[in-house]
C-alpha cells in the first residue's frame, strides 16, 4: 500500500469581541476562527510548507452538536504567511460543534487533500479523524490540530466520503431582507432554483442564511426566484462559477420591495389537454402611475394608469396556458406606485385566488366580485370606504372609514364580526348615510333580495341603530 503523506493543519481560534454591550451574553459572542496550514512528515517530524502544492482554499462543513447545519462545504480563501498558509477568518458563536468535512481545494475546485473519517480505510492515519467534536469557548483562544491526507491514488470511499466531485460543492448561502420601519431586517420567504423552465430546487428561507445546494454544470445558466406575499418577486440570473466570484464568500442577499401580490389556483375541467385562460382585474389610482407586473409565468410588463373621464385607472389582462394537468398556479406581483392605488376590482375571474393588499395603504374601494380569496386580511387598509366581499372570512381594520358594505353568500359565517366592526367605526366617527347589504345573492347589491342570514340579536340591534340614528340603508330591510 502506498505510504500516505500526512499533513498537519493547525487551527487556532481567537475571540474578537470589541465594544460589546452590557447586555451581550457569551452565547451571542462571535469567535473568529482562522486556519493556518503547514505540513509534517510523520516519519521524521520535519515540517515543510512545500508539501502543500496548488492549494487555493479550504472547504469545511460544520454542524451543531445536535446536527443542525452551520456551514456546508464553506470555501475559505488562503494565502501564504511566513513558511505556511493562513485562511480568511470565519465566525462562530460560542458553543459545541462537529467538524464533518475538511478539504483542501485547487483552482478548479478539485479536492487535493482531505481528512479521513473514522472507520474508513484511511481513518486510522490521523490521530483525530472525522467526525470530530470541538468547542468554541467564549473569551478564550481555541486551538485545534488537523491532519489531512493527499487524495491522489485513493478513492473517496478510502476517506469515508461518497464523492470528491465538484458537483457536491455547488452551494451558496441566501438571505432575504425587507425594509421594516426604516430598518433592513431578515425575513422568511420561498425560493426556487430554475434551469430554463425546470424547477431543480425549492427552499423555505428562514431569518438566517439558507444554503442553496444543487448539482449540475457550474457554467450553465440558472435563475433564482424568491417570493413572499406583499413583496415583489426577486429574480437572479447567474452562472454558478461567476456567482461565487461575485459573492466572494458572502451570502447572496435578496432585498424585497413592497408589492400588491396575488396567487392564482385553478384547475381546468379538461385535464390532459392544455388550455388557456385570461386573468384580469382593474385598478383606479389617485394620479397617473406606472407599475411593473410579473405574471408568474415568465412574463413581465410595465403598465401605466391613465385618465378615464372622472378616474385615473388601468386594466390588467393576461392569458395563461395551463400545464397538461389543467392547473393554473401562479404568483403575481405588482410593484411600482402601489401606494397610489385607491380602488381594486376583480373582473369576474374563475381563478381561485389569495391576495395580499397590505401594501395598498391608500386603498378605499375593494371589490372581490365572483371569486375572492378564502381569507382576506384588510387590517392595514385603514382608508377603506367601500367593500364588496366574496371571501369566506375577513379581518377588518380596527379603525376604518367604511360606509358601504356588501356581503355575498361566502360571508355567511362572518356577518356579526363585520356588523360589529362597521358599527363601532360609524358610531365613533359619526359616519352618516352608509349602506350595509346582506342579501342572499351577488345581484342583491342592485336589488332587494332575501336576507343572506339573520344576524344575532345584538348585531341586529346595531344595524337598526345605523338605520335609524345614522341614516344607513340596510338591505334587505330588517
Amino acid at each position: 500500500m502506498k505510504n500516505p503523506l500526512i499533513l498537519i493543519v493547525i487551527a487556532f481560534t481567537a475571540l474578537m469581541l470589541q465594544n460589546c454591550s452590557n447586555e451581550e451574553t457569551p452565547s451571542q459572542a462571535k469567535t473568529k476562527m482562522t486556519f493556518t496550514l503547514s505540513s509534517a512528515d510523520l516519519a521524521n517530524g520535519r515540517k515543510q510548507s512545500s508539501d502543500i502544492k496548488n492549494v487555493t482554499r479550504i472547504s469545511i462543513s460544520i454542524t451543531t452538536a445536535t446536527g443542525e447545519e452551520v456551514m456546508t462545504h464553506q470555501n475559505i480563501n488562503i494565502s501564504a504567511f511566513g513558511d505556511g498558509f493562513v485562511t480568511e477568518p470565519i465566525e462562530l458563536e460560542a458553543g459545541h460543534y462537529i467538524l464533518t468535512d475538511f478539504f483542501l481545494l485547487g483552482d478548479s475546485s478539485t479536492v487535493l487533500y482531505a481528512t479521513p473519517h473514522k472507520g474508513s480505510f484511511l481513518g486510522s492515519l490521523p490521530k483525530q479523524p472525522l467526525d470530530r467534536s470541538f468547542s468554541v469557548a467564549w473569551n478564550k483562544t481555541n486551538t485545534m490540530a488537523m491532519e489531512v491526507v493527499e487524495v491522489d491514488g485513493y478513492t473517496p470511499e478510502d476517506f469515508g466520503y461518497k464523492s470528491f466531485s465538484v458537483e457536491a460543492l455547488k452551494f451558496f448561502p441566501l438571505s432575504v431582507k425587507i425594509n421594516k420601519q426604516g430598518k433592513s431586517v431578515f425575513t422568511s420567504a420561498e425560493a426556487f432554483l430554475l434551469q430554463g423552465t425546470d424547477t431543480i430546487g425549492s427552499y423555505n428561507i428562514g431569518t438566517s442564511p439558507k444554503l442553496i445546494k444543487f448539482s449540475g454544470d457550474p457554467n450553465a445558466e440558472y435563475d433564482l426566484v424568491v417570493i413572499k406575499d406583499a413583496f415583489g418577486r426577486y429574480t437572479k440570473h447567474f452562472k454558478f462559477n461567476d456567482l461565487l466570484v461575485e459573492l466572494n464568500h458572502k451570502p447572496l442577499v435578496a432585498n424585497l420591495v413592497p408589492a400588491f401580490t396575488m396567487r392564482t389556483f385553478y384547475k381546468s375541467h379538461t385535464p390532459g389537454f392544455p388550455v388557456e385562460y385570461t386573468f384580469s382585474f382593474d385598478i383606479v389610482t389617485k394620479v397617473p402611475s406606472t407599475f411593473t407586473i410579473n405574471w408568474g409565468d415568465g412574463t413581465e410588463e410595465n403598465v401605466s394608469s391613465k385618465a378615464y373621464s372622472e378616474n385615473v385607472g388601468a386594466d390588467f389582462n393576461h392569458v395563461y396556458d395551463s400545464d397538461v394537468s389543467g392547473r393554473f398556479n401562479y404568483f403575481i406581483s405588482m410593484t411600482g406606485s402601489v401606494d397610489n392605488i385607491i380602488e381594486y376590482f376583480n373582473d369576474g375571474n374563475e381563478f381561485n385566488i389569495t391576495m395580499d393588499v397590505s401594501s395598498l395603504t391608500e386603498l378605499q374601494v375593494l371589490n372581490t366580485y365572483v371569486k375572492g380569496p378564502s381569507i382576506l386580511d384588510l387590517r392595514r387598509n385603514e382608508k377603506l370606504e367601500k367593500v364588496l366581499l366574496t371571501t369566506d372570512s375577513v379581518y377588518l381594520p380596527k379603525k376604518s372609514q367604511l360606509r358601504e358594505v356588501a356581503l355575498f353568500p361566502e360571508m355567511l359565517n362572518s356577518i356579526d364580526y363585520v356588523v360589529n366592526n362597521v358599527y363601532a367605526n360609524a358610531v365613533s366617527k359619526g359616519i352618516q348615510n352608509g349602506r350595509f347589504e346582506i342579501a342572499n345573492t351577488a345581484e342583491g347589491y342592485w336589488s332587494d333580495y332575501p336576507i343572506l342570514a339573520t344576524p344575532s340579536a345584538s348585531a341586529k340591534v346595531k344595524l337598526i341603530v345605523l338605520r335609524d340614528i345614522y341614516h344607513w340603508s340596510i338591505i334587505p330591510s330588517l
Side-chain angles (χ1 to χ4, degrees):
M1 184 184 77
K2 174 182 176 181
N3 290 325
L5 172 66
I6 305 297
L7 304 178
I8 305 299
V9 181
I10 300 177
F12 66 89
T13 330
L15 290 171
M16 305 294 291
L17 303 173
Q18 299 178 354
N19 301 321
C20 294
S21 65
N22 292 333
E23 290 79 13
E24 188 175 42
T25 63
S27 62
Q28 297 170 325
K30 292 287 188 177
T31 295
K32 286 191 175 181
M33 176 177 287
T34 304
F35 296 90
T36 58
L37 311 180
S38 60
S39 63
D41 185 331
L42 294 186
N44 54 35
R46 293 177 302 170
K47 294 184 178 181
Q48 298 177 354
S49 60
S50 59
D51 289 337
I52 300 177
K53 298 181 182 297
N54 303 319
V55 172
T56 59
R57 57 195 180 279
I58 71 172
S59 175
I60 61 174
S61 298
I62 296 173
T63 70
T64 64
T66 58
E68 297 177 3
E69 291 182 346
V70 177
M71 298 178 180
T72 300
H73 293 133
Q74 175 71 55
N75 288 353
I76 307 170
N77 286 339
I78 63 174
S79 57
F81 182 77
D83 294 332
F85 300 90
V86 64
T87 70
E88 294 178 346
I90 61 171
E91 288 189 338
L92 292 172
E93 291 183 358
H96 302 285
Y97 299 93
I98 299 175
L99 182 63
T100 59
D101 296 312
F102 197 93
F103 300 142
L104 304 188
L105 307 179
D107 285 328
S108 60
S109 296
T110 302
V111 176
L112 302 181
Y113 306 88
T115 300
H117 282 262
K118 184 178 181 180
S120 67
F121 177 67
L122 299 174
S124 61
L125 293 177
K127 292 181 180 179
Q128 293 181 296
L130 302 179
D131 293 340
R132 182 174 173 186
S133 299
F134 68 99
S135 297
V136 173
W138 181 63
N139 207 21
K140 291 184 179 179
T141 298
N142 301 270
T143 302
M144 183 169 61
M146 296 292 298
E147 296 175 321
V148 297
V149 178
E150 187 176 10
V151 303
D152 186 33
Y154 296 101
T155 66
E157 289 76 12
D158 291 335
F159 288 78
Y161 294 98
K162 291 183 179 180
S163 174
F164 286 152
S165 171
V166 69
E167 298 294 327
L169 304 178
K170 289 188 180 64
F171 75 95
F172 58 90
L174 171 67
S175 294
V176 181
K177 284 188 171 184
I178 60 174
N179 188 286
K180 188 174 183 179
Q181 297 178 343
K183 295 183 179 180
S184 180
V185 299
F186 292 103
T187 189
S188 59
E190 301 169 66
F192 302 90
L193 193 62
L194 309 178
Q195 187 171 24
T197 59
D198 296 328
T199 301
I200 60 176
S202 59
Y203 316 86
N204 290 319
I205 311 301
T207 54
S208 57
K210 173 76 172 181
L211 291 178
I212 305 300
K213 295 184 265 187
F214 65 102
S215 61
D217 182 357
N219 291 310
E221 296 183 346
Y222 302 90
D223 289 290
L224 175 73
V225 175
V226 179
I227 61 175
K228 180 180 177 68
D229 291 334
F231 293 91
R233 173 189 300 261
Y234 172 92
T235 302
K236 174 75 172 180
H237 186 77
F238 68 94
K239 293 181 180 179
F240 179 75
N241 285 342
D242 294 341
L243 181 63
L244 290 186
V245 175
E246 176 186 336
L247 296 178
N248 192 26
H249 310 297
K250 297 178 181 179
L252 173 62
V253 179
N255 290 299
L256 306 185
V257 298
F260 169 41
T261 61
M262 293 179 284
R263 296 176 187 248
T264 66
F265 306 91
Y266 182 75
K267 183 167 173 48
S268 168
H269 298 297
T270 56
F273 299 92
V275 296
E276 63 180 31
Y277 196 85
T278 300
F279 183 81
S280 58
F281 63 93
D282 304 328
I283 63 168
V284 174
T285 60
K286 295 187 297 184
V287 294
S289 306
T290 300
F291 307 94
T292 298
I293 185 164
N294 188 303
W295 291 100
D297 61 350
T299 305
E300 186 172 276
E301 60 181 322
N302 295 322
V303 177
S304 297
S305 61
K306 55 186 178 181
Y308 297 145
S309 63
E310 298 179 1
N311 295 324
V312 178
D315 302 327
F316 293 85
N317 302 277
H318 185 68
V319 177
Y320 285 106
D321 294 323
S322 72
D323 58 24
V324 292
S325 70
R327 295 182 182 274
F328 301 83
N329 296 336
Y330 298 101
F331 178 83
I332 303 169
S333 63
M334 186 166 71
T335 56
S337 303
V338 294
D339 53 352
N340 285 337
I341 298 175
I342 58 175
E343 299 184 19
Y344 168 88
F345 300 90
N346 189 357
D347 273 355
N349 298 292
E350 292 188 20
F351 284 95
N352 295 315
I353 64 172
T354 65
M355 59 196 306
D356 194 307
V357 296
S358 57
S359 295
L360 309 187
T361 54
E362 298 294 317
L363 190 65
Q364 298 172 15
V365 178
L366 176 65
N367 183 341
T368 62
Y369 174 65
V370 180
K371 285 284 187 178
S374 58
I375 300 176
L376 184 57
D377 190 345
L378 303 175
R379 285 174 290 187
R380 293 188 180 182
N381 306 102
E382 295 187 347
K383 295 188 178 182
L384 276 172
E385 297 180 5
K386 176 180 177 180
V387 292
L388 288 83
L389 300 176
T390 57
T391 63
D392 294 334
S393 59
V394 65
Y395 296 100
L396 294 175
K398 290 183 178 180
K399 297 180 180 180
S400 72
Q401 310 295 324
L402 282 171
R403 60 180 63 251
E404 190 167 345
V405 177
L407 305 183
F408 296 154
E410 292 85 350
M411 292 293 294
L412 178 65
N413 297 318
S414 301
I415 292 177
D416 280 10
Y417 167 76
V418 177
V419 169
N420 292 337
N421 180 281
V422 172
Y423 173 83
N425 280 287
V427 171
S428 66
K429 298 176 182 179
I431 300 175
Q432 300 275 339
N433 302 309
R435 177 186 178 103
F436 198 108
E437 180 174 340
I438 45 177
N440 192 21
T441 175
E443 299 298 327
Y445 183 73
W446 296 276
S447 305
D448 195 357
Y449 277 75
I451 194 167
L452 171 63
T454 302
S456 66
S458 61
K460 188 173 182 179
V461 168
K462 292 176 181 177
L463 288 175
I464 292 173
V465 171
L466 289 176
R467 182 192 67 189
D468 295 345
I469 305 300
Y470 293 91
H471 311 294
W472 281 53
S473 297
I474 308 300
I475 302 174
S477 298
L478 297 175

